[in-house]
Amino acid sequence: MGNINLKELALALNLSTATVSRALRDSHEISPETKKKVLELAKKLNYEPNPAASNLRSNKTKTIAVIIPEITNNFFSQAINGIEEIARTHDYHVLIYQTHENSELEIAFMRRLLSGRVDGILISVASETNNNQDFKDIINQLPVVFFDRVNENIDAVKVTTDDYESTYNATCHLIERGCRKIAYLMALNNLSTGKKRFEGYRAALTDNSIAINEALILTDSNNEDENCAQIKKLLVNEQPDSIITSIENLALPCYYACKDLNLNIPRDIKIISFSNLKTAPLLNPSLSTITQPAFEMGKEAASILFKILNKKYFEPNGTLILKSTIIKRESTGF
Amino acid sequence: MGNINLKELALALNLSTATVSRALRDSHEISPETKKKVLELAKKLNYEPNPAASNLRSNKTKTIAVIIPEITNNFFSQAINGIEEIARTHDYHVLIYQTHENSELEIAFMRRLLSGRVDGILISVASETNNNQDFKDIINQLPVVFFDRVNENIDAVKVTTDDYESTYNATCHLIERGCRKIAYLMALNNLSTGKKRFEGYRAALTDNSIAINEALILTDSNNEDENCAQIKKLLVNEQPDSIITSIENLALPCYYACKDLNLNIPRDIKIISFSNLKTAPLLNPSLSTITQPAFEMGKEAASILFKILNKKYFEPNGTLILKSTIIKRESTGF
DNA sequence: CTGTTAGCGCTTTCAA
DNA sequence: TTGAAAGCGCTAACAG
């Protein structure tokens, strides 16, 4: 592939490979003139150092891995955008792995990365995660930063939003607008992310002296049609005045269910959904959304990873918590 | 990072590194018993081969690069999804690079990849005007497959949709529904993608004996507010009965502009937009869309790249053309 | 079927 | 300030 190598460069310049290598890496022990000569010829010949050789020798790959559930989820593609931006400023390369919520695949990816393919990992864990020991093993061998979907049972560096606060505020928003029968569509139950969102909902109800009604609570089945059917049943049986969906993927079945029952949103029923779809507010003025700062979260998580790689981060179990935004549809009286 | 290496494995097994290496790679010249012993110990000790060493020796990286304009564009994240799926079946790793439409960055990425970091490249180009020679240089050194946004001036392997047909059909669809003043929002003018889309629109008008009215044609300014203002002006001055947007990013300003002018979609004005937003048809029943098979295109492009890598592809300049789908909003009488 | 040996292209002591 | 030489972990001739 790459044509010219260090040896050839050195030969052409009548220098040793050591000197050329040092000159290219701007070592202080090389004279300015030599540096200049080397740099000039390198540029002229389009010299690109072989990363495998340099990695093998130096144990640095200039590569990080990003492990996420689904890249087509708006939240994650926005997060990757942020990660890529930071990686670029550090001259790093970014590998992408999708777990599709499969935690065995997730662990397999990480184990293979231990071979020294990357300098560090950014991960948002799969919903069915159940691999605490595996995670602990891996964290001991490679710098890992968890973002958004973190595992609460593991001490590690994490970047999240305040999931509790998001649903607490969303629930209060509905209560302030007169809602009393607020349905809740649960998801990510074995992640702190899902648990905290649910806690926020419960706490808001309690703080407003509204009893928790189990019949108003539904759990994500990971199947769009099934979810839609369940939501319809709930709408018919319980007649809630509002719904909170705890993940973006539940917004659509929710919307379908209401349409099928000829319920007008937000007149008959108000819906607040987690969503990072940029166009959501416009395309559907009837839905309010809880929007997470995905891009920023990617940037923050990556920045922390690079601090760790540069030995400039000293909080092994630090958690950075960013703010989500509730985008309200005041224009529609909701 | 990774702890154990070939030498240690070999030592523990009383074998040479060569034998162990061969056993791990399932070479036919190793006895079944030896293979079994090696594989067992390797698994037990969590042995992972060092990719840098293997790459340095064998000139295979098991890695491909994907270069795209924006990962947060639905089309591209869906395409990456397809690419990743195929890469996974080949046990390959996927590097992501975003150009943000900057063609200098694009060339810089590719040049750096020539160093041997990847076995091949999948690219959807930022522009085809400036860098033909650079592209040609690179294609000569590394397998490259272009997808969606291809460079028509370069002979290479390409996967696209039929851009001409998409807009031709969309335009006919509007004409069949009585539209005569069809505005067209142009974009990607320096790509064959953009040119062919425009040609499709023009041809459909001509074939239906409708004169082309330059005043109905607007060019993307790459700025959402600016686009919105221009579209509003066009709506006021020309009173079109319909609009075709040639990229997804123009749908939103278009929508805004109509709202601002209190135009009802599709009663007062019909809009057909390119869009790969999965939820678009549901969330906005007023917009018809031209949807590209992004996931499939990613899969096809990656499959072809792997065929090239495995010396099983013999059409150096082949172009595979996939079909886009026009999703019509018949339910709204449009 | 297995072992010996050389070397991929780079970085890094150590010596000059 | 520069050079010689060793070696990162693996693969692939070549020998046996």
Side-chain angles (χ1 to χ4, degrees), chain B residues 7-20:
Chain B
K7 211 160 114 189
E8 295 170 303
L9 248 188
L11 204 69
L13 287 160
N14 240 320
L15 289 167
S16 72
T17 58
T19 305
V20 175

Side-chain angles (χ1 to χ4, degrees), chain A residues 33-53:
Chain A
E33 308 92 72
T34 315
K35 269 188 200 169
K36 190 157 168 265
K37 273 201 308 192
V38 171
L39 257 18
E40 269 172 8
L41 191 65
K43 170 152 257 177
K44 188 177 151 210
L45 299 181
N46 269 325
Y47 169 75
E48 290 287 345
N50 181 312

Side-chain angles (χ1 to χ4, degrees), chain B residues 6 21 47 50 53 57:
Chain B
L6 250 200
S21 172
Y47 170 73
N50 181 313
R57 188 60 234 255

Side-chain angles (χ1 to χ4, degrees), chain A residues 199-270:
Chain A
E199 279 167 28
Y201 161 75
R202 287 171 57 110
L205 292 184
T206 305
D207 290 356
N208 285 276
S209 312
I210 299 176
I212 284 132
N213 179 353
E214 294 292 337
L216 287 171
I217 298 161
L218 210 62
T219 303
D220 177 27
S221 71
N222 269 322
N223 174 313
E224 205 161 277
D225 293 336
E226 171 69 15
N227 281 335
C228 183
Q230 292 291 326
I231 295 166
K232 261 156 86 170
K233 214 160 85 181
L234 186 150
L235 288 171
V236 170
N237 293 344
E238 304 299 329
Q239 313 237 342
D241 52 28
S242 51
I243 309 180
I244 295 177
T245 79
S246 66
I247 54 170
E248 178 169 326
N249 279 347
L250 283 166
L252 211 49
C254 198
Y255 192 87
Y256 270 117
C258 293
K259 284 287 157 194
D260 277 4
L261 297 172
N262 283 314
L263 291 172
N264 177 300
I265 313 169
R267 197 193 57 214
D268 303 330
I269 188 159
K270 305 193 194 323

Side-chain angles (χ1 to χ4, degrees), chain B residues 25-248:
Chain B
R25 309 171 71 252
D26 204 26
S27 158
H28 57 275
E29 46 183 3
I30 299 290
S31 78
E33 308 94 69
T34 315
K35 268 188 200 168
K36 190 158 167 262
K37 271 201 308 191
V38 171
L39 258 18
E40 269 172 9
L41 190 64
K43 170 151 256 179
K44 189 176 149 208
L45 299 182
N46 270 323
Y47 170 73
E48 291 287 346
N50 181 313
S54 132
N55 166 10
L56 181 59
R57 188 60 234 255
S58 67
N59 273 317
K60 297 215 173 305
T61 62
K62 295 233 142 211
T63 306
I64 58 172
V66 181
I67 303 179
I68 50 164
E70 297 289 347
I71 199 170
T72 53
N73 177 313
N74 294 300
F75 173 83
F76 291 116
S77 63
Q78 287 164 26
I80 292 173
N81 190 19
I83 292 167
E84 215 254 1
E85 181 166 315
I86 299 298
R88 221 44 77 208
T89 70
H90 291 259
D91 218 31
Y92 260 65
H93 302 256
V94 180
L95 284 168
I96 300 285
Y97 301 86
Q98 292 188 90
T99 63
H100 299 295
E101 307 288 2
N102 177 339
S103 57
E104 283 172 38
L105 200 54
E106 183 172 65
I107 293 299
F109 284 151
M110 295 187 93
R111 286 228 173 275
R112 246 188 298 157
L113 291 173
L114 290 179
S115 62
R117 187 174 286 274
V118 299
D119 294 346
I121 296 178
L122 292 165
I123 183 169
S124 201
V125 305
S127 154
E128 67 185 21
T129 46
N130 309 319
N131 321 73
N132 292 346
Q133 195 48 54
D134 292 297
F135 273 122
K136 284 175 189 165
D137 279 1
I138 291 160
I139 291 170
N140 283 332
Q141 303 184 248
L142 201 60
V144 176
V145 175
F146 291 81
F147 69 99
D148 190 48
R149 296 201 195 174
V150 305
N151 188 322
E152 65 181 339
N153 303 312
I154 291 179
D155 288 333
V157 182
K158 302 171 184 176
V159 181
T160 67
T161 49
D162 191 331
D163 289 299
Y164 175 92
E165 192 181 281
S166 303
T167 43
Y168 186 93
N169 289 345
T171 309
C172 289
H173 179 68
L174 289 170
I175 294 170
E176 282 161 22
R177 272 146 197 79
C179 297
R180 284 296 174 276
K181 298 185 70 175
I182 305 174
Y184 185 85
L185 308 187
M186 264 200 338
L188 311 179
N189 290 337
N190 46 6
L191 290 174
S192 59
T193 312
K195 289 179 202 156
K196 286 187 180 162
R197 287 180 187 177
F198 185 54
E199 280 168 27
Y201 160 77
R202 287 171 57 110
L205 291 185
T206 304
D207 290 356
N208 286 276
S209 312
I210 299 176
I212 283 132
N213 178 353
E214 295 291 337
L216 287 171
I217 297 161
L218 210 62
T219 302
D220 177 26
S221 71
N222 270 322
N223 175 313
E224 204 160 279
D225 293 336
E226 172 67 15
N227 281 333
C228 183
Q230 292 292 327
I231 295 166
K232 261 157 83 171
K233 214 160 84 182
L234 186 149
L235 289 171
V236 170
N237 293 345
E238 305 297 329
Q239 312 235 345
D241 51 29
S242 51
I243 309 179
I244 295 177
T245 79
S246 66
I247 54 169
E248 179 171 326

Side-chain angles (χ1 to χ4, degrees), chain A residues 92-104:
Chain A
Y92 261 65
H93 302 257
V94 180
L95 284 167
I96 299 285
Y97 301 86
Q98 292 189 87
T99 62
H100 299 295
E101 308 288 4
N102 176 339
S103 61
E104 282 172 38

Side-chain angles (χ1 to χ4, degrees), chain A residues 28 56 130 134 148 194 210 243 249 255 263 327:
Chain A
H28 57 275
L56 182 59
N130 214 345
D134 291 295
D148 189 48
I210 299 176
I243 309 180
N249 279 347
Y255 192 87
L263 291 172
I327 301 178

